[in-house]
Amino acid sequence: PVLVESLLVFTVVLSVHAVVWDRFSWCAVALAVQAFYVQFKWDRLLQLGGAVFQFRGAANSGLLPASMVIPLLGVVMKERCRAAGIVYFERFGIVVASTGMLLALFLSVLAVGITKPVPTNTCILTGIAGSVIIYTMKHSLTVSEVIEVLEVLLIFVYLSMILLYLLPRCFTPGEALLVLGGVSFVLNQLIKRSLNVIEGRGDPIDFFLLVAVVGVVLLGLFFTVLFIFMDSGTWISSMFFHMMTAVLGLGVIMPWLYRLIQRNPLFWLLQFLFQTQTRLYLLVYWTFLAATACGVVFYQNTKRSSESKKHQASTITRKYFHFIVVATYVPGLIYDRQLLYVAAVLCLAVFIFLEYVRYFRIKPFGQTLRHLLSLFLDERDSGPLILTHIYLLLGMSLPVWLFPRSCAPKGTLPGAGALVPYSGVLAVGVGDTIASVFGSTMGEIKWPGTKKTFEGTMTAIFAQIIAVALILIFDSSVNLNSSYAWILASVSLVSLLEAYTTQIDNLLLPLYLQIMLMA
């Protein structure tokens, strides 16, 4: 399975660079080759328990698929913005690609450094890849951009040491690279934009995303350190938790956001949410769906009998939430993407906050949340945090957040790029859901070395093609310009990757589909 997963990733890399071949293509290919070799070193370290931190079990390291995501996103973003003539975001794409390569290279060097005996061939490959990447960065980046890349690397190193120690068995090395690398980049962007706020670059909704992500991460770090010295399950600790959340929110996060958008954040948010009648309808509809999702959780828990306390929700039951999320995102993508952008940020902040309440057993709802959500755990929730629902939200939202709006003057990209905001809906909401449902109920022919079935993958591809046809009918802004073969190839590759990867598919698949569609 690891070899097939690697082959699929190499196919994506070569497909992207067949369309976009420049000096960064050599770097991407070199990085992919060395990540392929280092991945086996990480796998061996995980099996022997010598990987410094405790990573998630029942999965390989996932270094190769994770290493290529950020560099490929940067490369395709650079090309789209270059074609649109937006120099600022073309340079931004170069910085993203360079940062992703350096973070992946750091993780590879770390694995090589702690492997005993030192693997000579892998060291040589890593050295060659590092030399190619550094040489290209030297001739592509300005001094300020090099400093920015190194800042992200420094934040990533410290953040990894803190969070991987505090949260054992929550990530594989590849998932840690994606999640912590993304948080490090967001934190660096927030610091940079806070210092250069006079330039007035950026949309308020972008600042809203940056502040929300950094705010909830800092909130979690603060309470993690605090509850080392006191019991978090008491009423006094719970009152202190709620009080300090209000203090940090109103005293730090709100003024920070005010400085960035130059207006009262609460008034701006209320004005934004209720600006048009369409937004009112969407908010009412989303509230109904949120209530439905809560109803599913309560209903499934009432079915749990006292004799079967170890009973877990079935795969099909968990996919109910995928259907609800699709029903949530599709109207937002068709009628108001900016509202969907902001609503997804708010929802992410609420999800993470509720996870803090559950994890720290904050009264009065902490223990209740632990009981309700334990029914929906699977083998990927082996650490102290429950992250699968947050990954589902991220998988659906990242294509919306990462869509290069400034490089799409008409609000959409030409050709297959018009489907980029729908990447999460197609890969996770439709493809992954249909594959799981049909594979678990009707599948008989298993892919070699996996539990996934041939029938599940084929029905997933077919369902995504039908979904694309429906998007063409209902969303008038989508014009594919006869790029149907590329879309079919992209959907097929990502569906095969879903069958073979052991990483969090809710996070990985939408990003790979977005890369393919943007290319």
Side-chain angles (χ1 to χ4, degrees):
V2 177
L3 292 175
V4 177
E5 178 190 52
S6 303
L7 177 63
L8 291 168
V9 173
F10 273 111
T11 305
V12 172
V13 172
L14 294 176
S15 299
V16 169
H17 289 290
V19 179
V20 184
W21 187 268
D22 57 12
R23 64 176 68 179
F24 284 97
S25 301
W26 295 109
C27 297
V29 172
L31 181 69
V33 171
Q34 71 86 31
F36 172 73
Y37 279 90
V38 174
Q39 180 170 251
F40 293 103
K41 307 305 174 189
W42 265 116
D43 290 343
R44 185 166 176 269
L45 287 169
L46 294 177
Q47 291 168 3
L48 298 176
V52 182
F53 300 106
Q54 295 183 58
F55 291 100
R56 182 167 68 84
N60 61 27
S61 64
L63 186 66
L64 175 58
S67 293
M68 301 315 301
V69 168
I70 301 177
L72 290 179
L73 273 174
V75 167
V76 294
M77 184 185 298
K78 171 183 73 73
E79 284 303 309
R80 285 293 186 176
C81 294
R82 184 185 63 79
I86 312 295
V87 177
Y88 177 81
F89 285 101
E90 181 185 351
R91 300 301 306 175
F92 182 74
I94 293 174
V95 171
V96 171
S98 303
T99 302
M101 291 178 187
L102 205 60
L103 294 181
L105 196 63
F106 168 77
L107 211 59
S108 297
V109 171
L110 181 64
V112 171
I114 59 179
T115 300
K116 303 297 180 186
V118 176
T120 307
N121 294 338
T122 308
C123 282
I124 293 172
L125 277 172
T126 303
I128 293 172
S131 301
V132 171
I133 291 169
I134 292 171
Y135 178 82
T136 305
M137 287 173 59
K138 181 190 173 203
H139 289 82
S140 303
L141 301 178
T142 63
V143 174
S144 61
E145 289 169 344
V146 170
I147 293 172
E148 185 176 348
V149 171
L150 294 176
E151 286 170 350
V152 177
L153 178 62
L154 187 64
I155 295 170
F156 175 76
V157 171
Y158 282 104
L159 204 59
S160 299
M161 288 193 296
I162 295 170
L163 291 182
L164 292 178
Y165 172 75
L166 294 174
L167 303 173
R169 303 181 309 281
C170 284
F171 308 101
T172 64
E175 291 160 7
L177 173 62
L178 274 181
V179 175
L180 302 183
V183 172
S184 303
F185 194 85
V186 166
L187 178 56
N188 186 67
Q189 283 297 306
L190 182 58
I191 295 170
K192 176 186 171 185
R193 297 192 187 196
S194 299
L195 295 174
N196 300 304
V197 72
I198 301 173
E199 294 181 11
R201 292 183 185 272
D203 193 305
I205 65 174
D206 293 326
F207 293 133
F208 190 66
L209 172 63
L210 296 178
V211 172
V213 171
V214 173
V216 293
V217 171
L218 293 179
L219 197 68
L221 288 174
F222 173 78
F223 285 118
T224 301
V225 174
L226 179 67
F227 289 135
I228 291 174
F229 305 101
M230 57 191 298
D231 182 10
S232 61
T234 64
W235 274 106
I236 293 177
S237 298
S238 300
M239 290 175 64
F240 188 72
F241 173 88
H242 295 300
M243 183 181 69
M244 287 306 299
T245 299
V247 169
L248 290 171
L250 298 175
V252 178
I253 295 173
M254 297 295 285
W256 201 346
L257 192 54
Y258 179 84
R259 171 176 168 76
L260 290 168
I261 67 175
Q262 299 295 308
R263 67 191 85 169
N264 187 299
L266 285 177
F267 291 157
W268 170 81
L269 182 61
L270 289 172
Q271 182 185 8
F272 179 86
L273 292 177
F274 303 108
Q275 195 169 15
T276 65
Q277 199 170 21
T278 303
R279 290 186 176 179
L280 279 173
Y281 291 147
L282 283 172
L283 289 172
V284 171
Y285 171 66
W286 289 341
T287 304
F288 168 74
L289 289 177
T292 303
C294 293
V296 171
V297 173
F298 286 119
Y299 174 72
Q300 290 297 325
N301 273 272
T302 56
K303 290 174 63 178
R304 186 195 301 189
S305 63
S306 58
E307 299 87 30
S308 58
K309 290 183 178 179
K310 292 186 178 180
H311 170 70
Q312 295 298 114
S314 66
T315 300
I316 297 177
T317 301
R318 287 198 292 269
K319 297 306 174 184
Y320 288 161
F321 298 103
H322 286 235
F323 286 118
I324 292 173
V325 170
V326 170
T328 302
Y329 273 72
V330 170
L333 287 167
I334 293 174
Y335 294 111
D336 198 327
R337 292 182 185 178
Q338 283 200 322
L339 178 65
L340 181 64
Y341 187 112
V342 172
V345 173
L346 286 172
C347 196
L348 177 66
V350 170
F351 273 23
I352 296 177
F353 178 76
L354 289 176
E355 181 57 23
Y356 291 157
V357 171
R358 187 205 66 83
Y359 175 65
F360 293 122
R361 305 188 310 279
I362 301 298
K363 295 181 182 298
F365 302 114
Q367 202 59 43
T368 304
L369 283 172
R370 284 194 167 216
H371 174 73
L372 291 174
L373 296 180
S374 63
L375 178 66
F376 299 95
L377 297 179
D378 61 13
E379 69 276 1
R380 295 174 296 183
D381 291 310
S382 56
L385 295 184
I386 299 177
L387 296 172
T388 45
H389 60 296
I390 297 175
Y391 283 139
L392 174 60
L393 178 65
L394 283 174
M396 301 292 287
S397 304
L398 283 173
V400 179
W401 294 340
L402 298 177
F403 181 74
R405 298 190 310 278
S406 302
C407 303
K410 296 180 180 179
T412 185
L413 295 172
L419 291 173
V420 164
Y422 289 94
S423 299
V425 172
L426 292 172
V428 175
V430 177
D432 182 41
T433 304
I434 297 298
S436 296
V437 172
F438 277 84
S440 60
T441 56
M442 299 167 53
E444 294 182 0
I445 307 172
K446 294 188 181 297
W447 291 106
T450 76
K451 296 179 181 178
K452 306 296 177 65
T453 64
F454 175 80
E455 293 88 347
T457 303
M458 291 301 107
T459 50
I461 295 172
F462 184 63
Q464 288 175 82
I465 297 303
I466 293 176
V468 170
L470 292 173
I471 291 169
L472 280 170
I473 293 171
F474 290 103
D475 191 345
S476 58
S477 66
V478 175
N479 182 10
L480 299 182
N481 295 336
S482 303
S483 51
Y484 302 109
W486 183 266
I487 293 170
L488 178 60
S490 303
V491 164
S492 301
L493 275 174
V494 171
S495 297
L496 286 169
L497 187 60
E498 185 273 335
Y500 276 96
T501 188
T502 57
Q503 305 304 297
I504 299 292
D505 48 10
N506 289 349
L507 185 64
L508 199 66
L509 302 183
L511 292 173
Y512 267 102
L513 185 57
Q514 177 174 4
I515 288 166
M516 289 294 290
L517 294 176
M518 280 184 69

